[in-house]
Amino acid sequence: MSSTIVTPRLSASAPDNAPDRLPVGRRRLRRALSFEVIPPRSPAQAARMPRLLKFLDSLGPDYLAVTSSATSNWLQGTADFIAEVTATTTLRPLAHLACTAGTEAELLGWIDHLLGVGVRGFLAIRGDIPAGQTSLPAGHLPHADALVSLLRRIENDNVACLAAGRLGIGVAAYPSGHPESTGPEEDLDVLAAKQRNGADFAITQLFFDPTAYSRLRRRAEHAGIIIPIIPGILPITDPRRLHTMSRLSGLPVPDGLLARFEGISDPASARRIGLDITAEHTAAILEHDADGLHFYTFNDQNTTEDLLTALDQKGISVSSFPPQPPPRRWPPSTDHATTKENHA
C-alpha cells in the first residue's frame, strides 16, 4: 500500500501541489549582479558621480537601480540622471517607481517619459505612506501589485515601441517581514500577488539575519512563488550604520551585532569590523543558493570597493558573476589583410 504525503500549505496563496523542497539546480547561467545608486542631490555629489559610474560600469553589472525621492526631485531627478547614465556608460538602468510618486494619471506620464530616456526595467514599490496618514491619497495606486499591473498594461499597449520586448519588473520582498504586515502569511500572499500580476523578480529590503533569507526562499517556494528573490546588501561600516538599517527596515538591531563593536573607538577598526560582518553575512546568503546579489551603494564608492575586497578575501569575486563579453564585431577591422583572411 502506498501512502500520500501531503505538503502543508504555508500560505493562502500556496497551490495544492506546492513542492516540499527547493528545486535542485536552477538552470541559470550565473548569479545576477546589480548595484543601487541615488541621483545626486548637490553639486558636490554630482561632481563625484562620474567616477562612481565608471567604477560600477567596469564591474559589468546586469543593471543599475536608480532610486526616486523628494530630495532628488522625484521622477524628474530620476529621469534626468538615467538620461546621463545611458549617454555616458553601458550600464542598464532600472528605475524605481513608487505609488507615492503621483496619481495613476501622473504615473502614466512619467512611465512614458522614463521609457523615452532608455528605461526598460522598473522596481515597482508602494513607497512610504506620508506621516500622519494611514493610506495613500485618492487617485494613487494603493499597492505595488497594482503598479505591476499598470506596467504590464503599458507594455501590452506599446509592443511596437518596445520591439515586442518585455519590461523587466522587480518588486520588494521582506525576509524579516513588512512593518505593516500581520505576519509571514500576509507577506507571502502579497509577494504571490505581485508575481501573479507580472513581477519578474524581487529584491529584498534590509535584514540582519542571513537565515531570514533562506527561510523566505523556502516558504516562497512552498507557496508557489518561483520568481528569483535577490538579497539586498547594505555595507555595515559602524554601529551608526546598523541603527540606520534598523530605521529603514523597522527591525531592531540584534544585540550580537552591536556586541562586535564594544570597546571599539577607532573609526578605522569599526569600519573593518562592519565590513567583515557584511562579508560574513553575504557568504552565508550565497550558501543558500541566492540567485544574485544587489548592493546598496549609497553613492559611496570607497565603501563599495572595500566590501568587494572583503568578499574577495573570502573567495567571493563578483567579477566572476557576469559572463565575458563577446568579441567586438563593430566597427569592422580596417586591416585589409585581416579582413581578407577572415573571408577566405
Side-chain angles (χ1 to χ4, degrees):
M1 179 182 293
S2 62
S3 61
T4 301
I5 299 176
V6 178
T7 301
R9 294 181 62 171
L10 300 182
S11 165
S13 301
D16 292 332
N17 61 344
D20 62 355
R21 67 187 66 186
L22 292 175
V24 178
R26 289 173 178 263
R27 291 185 178 179
R28 63 173 179 233
L29 296 176
R30 56 190 168 80
R31 287 189 168 100
L33 174 66
S34 55
F35 296 89
E36 186 163 308
V37 297
I38 305 167
R41 300 172 178 177
S42 68
Q45 290 182 11
R48 293 192 296 267
M49 187 58 69
R51 178 173 173 266
L52 172 62
L53 293 177
K54 182 178 180 180
F55 165 66
L56 297 177
D57 201 3
S58 72
L59 297 172
D62 293 283
Y63 56 87
L64 179 76
V66 181
T67 65
S68 174
S69 70
T71 50
S72 57
N73 196 18
W74 284 114
L75 290 172
Q76 182 63 62
T78 299
D80 292 345
F81 179 65
I82 285 176
E84 178 182 348
V85 169
T86 56
T88 59
T89 74
T90 63
L91 293 164
R92 292 173 284 272
L94 179 82
H96 280 220
L97 191 66
C99 298
T100 53
T103 64
E104 180 176 350
E106 290 170 334
L107 288 178
L108 284 169
W110 279 116
I111 293 169
D112 182 65
H113 184 61
L114 288 165
L115 291 175
V117 298
V119 171
R120 291 298 180 270
F122 293 89
L123 183 66
I125 58 177
R126 187 200 66 180
D128 295 329
I129 293 177
Q133 300 182 22
T134 57
S135 62
L136 295 181
H140 287 63
L141 297 174
H143 299 289
D145 58 342
L147 184 52
V148 173
S149 294
L150 177 65
L151 287 167
R152 286 293 176 224
R153 192 174 79 222
I154 291 172
E155 173 190 83
N156 291 334
D157 290 344
N158 294 276
V159 289
C161 299
L162 299 172
R166 296 180 72 248
L167 297 175
I169 301 179
V171 294
Y174 298 84
S176 298
H178 190 284
E180 300 172 23
S181 171
T182 58
E185 296 290 327
E186 183 178 0
D187 289 324
L188 285 176
D189 287 342
V190 169
L191 186 56
K194 295 173 183 177
Q195 175 180 269
R196 285 194 301 271
N197 288 4
D200 294 304
F201 63 97
I203 299 174
T204 72
Q205 295 287 55
L206 304 177
F207 58 100
F208 293 108
D209 181 4
T211 61
Y213 172 76
S214 62
R215 285 196 301 270
L216 173 62
R217 280 279 306 274
R218 184 171 61 253
R219 291 175 65 87
E221 294 281 357
H222 280 239
I225 299 170
I226 61 173
I227 59 174
I229 300 175
I230 310 298
I233 309 296
L234 175 62
I236 300 169
T237 52
D238 51 34
R240 184 173 58 181
R241 177 63 66 85
L242 282 173
H243 290 298
T244 297
M245 292 174 65
S246 175
R247 176 175 53 82
L248 293 174
S249 65
L251 301 170
V253 181
D255 292 337
L257 292 185
L258 290 175
R260 299 273 293 266
F261 294 95
E262 286 183 1
I264 304 298
S265 58
D266 175 32
S269 298
R271 179 183 177 84
R272 184 170 58 253
I273 291 170
L275 291 175
D276 283 344
I277 292 173
T278 310
E280 292 167 9
H281 285 191
T282 304
I285 289 167
L286 289 177
E287 288 179 0
H288 294 291
D289 201 32
D291 289 297
L293 294 175
H294 180 74
F295 293 96
Y296 298 101
T297 71
F298 275 52
N299 292 3
D300 186 340
Q301 178 175 339
N302 292 334
T303 297
T304 303
E305 287 192 73
D306 288 346
L307 174 57
L308 297 183
T309 299
L311 287 171
D312 194 62
Q313 292 170 349
K314 292 186 176 297
I316 302 169
S317 174
V318 297
S319 63
S320 66
F321 284 14
Q324 293 299 313
R328 186 174 181 182
R329 302 189 182 280
W330 187 265
S333 172
T334 56
D335 187 333
H336 178 73
T338 300
T339 304
K340 184 177 181 179
E341 180 181 347
N342 289 341
H343 288 278

